[in-house]
Amino acid sequence: MEEGATARSLLQKQNLDDNDQELITNSCGEDEGLLLQSDQSSSTITVVVVLSTLVATCGSYAFGYAVGYSSPAESEIEDDLGLDSAEYAVFGSVLTIGAILGAISSGKFADFVGRRGAMGASEMFCILGWLAIAFSKDAWLLDLGRFLVGCGIGVLSYVVPVYIAEITPKNVRGGFTSLSQFMLSSGQGIIPCLVHLLGLFFIPESPRWLAKCGRVREVGAVLQFLRVKNADISQEASDIIEYTENLQLISEDGIRHLFQKKYAYSIKIGVGLMVFQQLGGLNGFGFYATTIFESAGCSIKLGTIAAAVVQISMTAVGVFLIDKCGRLPLLLISATGTCLGCLLTGFAFFLQDLHCGKDLIAMMVLIGVLVYWASFELGMGGIPWIMMSEIFPINIKGSAGSLVTLVSWIGSWFTSYTFNFLFEWSSAGTFFLYAGVCGMGILFISKMVPETTKLALEEIQASVTVQ
């Protein structure tokens, strides 16, 4: 498919009826104009797009704090409430259970109430959860609060990248969607939940969701609001509405429609990227960094600070590069780097088992962990979520998004649950296993994953859907 092709050349054409076309023209306030002018206007970044993206990324800010909360708060909560290790383990893991339940309903819920409505409801769950944790006097209220927060972030992990991808121009979609990953890496505090909730009242709904609901007049009005003032967006509006109507005629949304042959390729891409993202050791490095550094004789304070600096820095680099270099090159570099990081860390522990190079082990482990995080944040951290928001047609996006998000959270739970058992079995073997998964991820990406940079969502979705 040539990069300049439109989605209409990839589907069976179906002309908009006269009423729909009239509504688009009226809402745009302009005549058709030249296609080149339309492309230029729809690719311009506006203040509305920037502010809408920042509001949406507050959801990732809340997500990041929720995921990272349990580790530094462990000793304080155990002392205050008199919890033992087993009770605190329940508190830590119940977040994932809530997130899995949230993920199951995320796609359909976002389709039913809209992207803004789903984000608002998610933040209400998070706020109620944090209030329960703050005022808890015993374990059951503490666990309930953690569970509610999990339900909220399970939905947020799906709807935030989808919303950003659906409102931003194609030439900057990757960088803007990657902002959510940047906020996830550095977020903390309950305030972002409130900022996100209040900000939702001032940002527009996704034009593609409006088209799916048949609200044709609002599609043009919202696009006009998101793009440059007085821009001719009639071509973009027509493409979105026509593509959506074609898809709704071809098939319906639902789990049983998800596994049709024509959607197999996009499902493989979405699920595969999430499997390799999670099973490549993400939560092993993330949740058990203290254990890794301590076992290697490395300074815990030095290791955790260095890892945090590298994560934030490389995520910022990824945001800058993703629309310049493309998704595919960054994914390949990222997967290769995570593989090398795992191999280096595993080799250091292998030397420790052989009682060799004692003076080098701590430094090798630190370098291995930093290489892993630098590589992961460059691509594998955010790009799978970006591509999840890009590759699924609007008619299956709810069900497919729920499936992919569910796979991600199950993988997250599995890696977290098995790390201690694997590490006790063999510290070196644990990281060699992760390196093997990352190696398979390199092959998967090189053979299966398409480039989607600077293509309209309709073009991407048509190219990965077998007609």
Side-chain angles (χ1 to χ4, degrees), residues 203-399:
I203 63 176
E205 185 52 86
S206 161
R208 288 170 173 84
W209 179 79
L210 293 172
K212 184 177 186 293
C213 296
R215 293 157 65 174
V216 177
R217 184 185 296 275
E218 294 176 64
V219 172
V222 168
L223 282 173
Q224 194 73 67
F225 185 54
L226 288 167
R227 305 299 183 243
V228 180
K229 185 179 180 181
N230 297 325
D232 178 11
I233 49 81
S234 56
Q235 181 66 49
E236 185 180 7
S238 297
D239 285 345
I240 291 172
I241 294 169
E242 181 177 338
Y243 185 81
T244 302
E245 290 182 348
N246 283 336
L247 286 173
Q248 290 178 320
L249 288 173
I250 292 170
S251 65
E252 302 174 6
D253 190 8
I255 291 294
R256 64 190 181 91
H257 297 284
L258 200 58
F259 299 102
Q260 299 178 52
K261 183 179 179 180
K262 60 184 174 181
Y263 300 131
Y265 183 35
S266 57
I267 294 296
K268 287 176 185 177
I269 296 169
V271 170
L273 285 174
M274 291 303 176
V275 167
F276 291 113
Q277 180 197 63
Q278 294 296 334
L279 299 188
L282 171 59
N283 282 353
F285 283 96
F287 289 178
Y288 298 97
T290 300
T291 301
I292 295 170
F293 291 134
E294 187 177 23
S295 299
C298 178
S299 168
I300 295 174
K301 184 176 181 180
L302 171 65
T304 52
I305 292 175
V309 171
V310 166
Q311 283 180 266
I312 295 172
S313 301
M314 291 307 296
T315 304
V317 171
V319 170
F320 177 75
L321 292 178
I322 188 168
D323 286 315
K324 297 181 180 294
C325 300
R327 281 47 156 173
L328 193 54
L330 286 185
L331 276 175
L332 288 170
I333 293 170
S334 178
T336 303
T338 56
C339 184
L340 292 175
C342 291
L343 285 173
L344 185 57
T345 306
F347 185 67
F349 281 113
F350 178 71
L351 291 179
Q352 186 182 63
D353 293 340
L354 296 178
H355 305 289
C356 298
K358 185 176 181 181
D359 297 335
L360 298 175
I361 291 171
M363 182 58 66
M364 288 178 65
V365 167
L366 177 61
I367 294 173
V369 171
L370 295 183
V371 168
Y372 176 89
W373 279 122
S375 304
F376 181 85
E377 298 297 351
L378 184 65
M380 286 300 291
I383 294 179
W385 292 103
I386 295 172
M387 298 199 75
M388 181 272 291
S389 69
E390 293 177 328
I391 60 176
F392 297 124
I394 193 71
N395 65 313
I396 64 160
K397 183 169 281 189
S399 299

Side-chain angles (χ1 to χ4, degrees), residues 89-284:
V90 173
F91 170 73
S93 62
V94 76
L95 177 83
T96 307
I97 297 173
I100 289 173
L101 293 178
I104 292 172
S105 62
S106 59
K108 297 295 289 183
F109 185 58
D111 281 348
F112 182 71
V113 302
R115 311 319 189 207
R116 290 192 309 166
M119 288 189 284
S122 301
E123 290 296 7
M124 289 299 296
F125 272 94
C126 290
I127 291 170
L128 289 174
W130 285 119
L131 289 174
I133 292 172
F135 293 102
S136 60
K137 299 297 181 182
D138 45 34
W140 77 266
L141 188 57
L142 187 74
D143 293 342
L144 176 62
R146 185 76 166 163
F147 174 80
L148 290 174
V149 172
C151 291
I153 66 173
V155 177
L156 286 174
S157 60
Y158 163 76
V159 74
V160 169
V162 167
Y163 175 78
I164 296 173
E166 289 181 346
I167 67 166
T168 49
K170 61 185 179 182
N171 62 316
V172 295
R173 187 175 59 242
F176 272 61
T177 311
S178 290
L179 283 175
S180 63
Q181 182 69 16
F182 179 80
M183 301 295 276
L184 185 153
S185 299
S186 58
Q188 55 179 323
I190 193 172
I191 294 177
C193 296
L194 295 172
V195 174
H196 190 200
L197 187 62
L198 295 175
L200 293 174
F201 291 99
F202 302 97
I203 63 176
E205 185 52 86
S206 161
R208 288 170 173 84
W209 179 79
L210 293 172
K212 184 177 186 293
C213 296
R215 293 157 65 174
V216 177
R217 184 185 296 275
E218 294 176 64
V219 172
V222 168
L223 282 173
Q224 194 73 67
F225 185 54
L226 288 167
R227 305 299 183 243
V228 180
K229 185 179 180 181
N230 297 325
D232 178 11
I233 49 81
S234 56
Q235 181 66 49
E236 185 180 7
S238 297
D239 285 345
I240 291 172
I241 294 169
E242 181 177 338
Y243 185 81
T244 302
E245 290 182 348
N246 283 336
L247 286 173
Q248 290 178 320
L249 288 173
I250 292 170
S251 65
E252 302 174 6
D253 190 8
I255 291 294
R256 64 190 181 91
H257 297 284
L258 200 58
F259 299 102
Q260 299 178 52
K261 183 179 179 180
K262 60 184 174 181
Y263 300 131
Y265 183 35
S266 57
I267 294 296
K268 287 176 185 177
I269 296 169
V271 170
L273 285 174
M274 291 303 176
V275 167
F276 291 113
Q277 180 197 63
Q278 294 296 334
L279 299 188
L282 171 59
N283 282 353

Side-chain angles (χ1 to χ4, degrees), residues 385-456:
W385 292 103
I386 295 172
M387 298 199 75
M388 181 272 291
S389 69
E390 293 177 328
I391 60 176
F392 297 124
I394 193 71
N395 65 313
I396 64 160
K397 183 169 281 189
S399 299
S402 294
L403 174 64
V404 171
T405 309
L406 176 63
V407 168
S408 175
W409 279 107
I410 291 175
S412 173
W413 169 82
F414 180 80
T415 304
S416 304
Y417 181 77
T418 58
F419 180 84
N420 273 332
F421 298 105
L422 290 172
F423 201 73
E424 290 176 6
W425 161 69
S426 171
S427 53
T430 300
F431 295 100
F432 288 146
L433 282 174
Y434 291 156
V437 173
C438 293
M440 289 188 287
I442 297 171
L443 295 175
F444 174 83
I445 292 167
S446 62
K447 298 294 184 182
M448 293 290 295
V449 178
E451 182 58 80
T452 63
T453 304
K454 296 183 179 179
L455 296 177

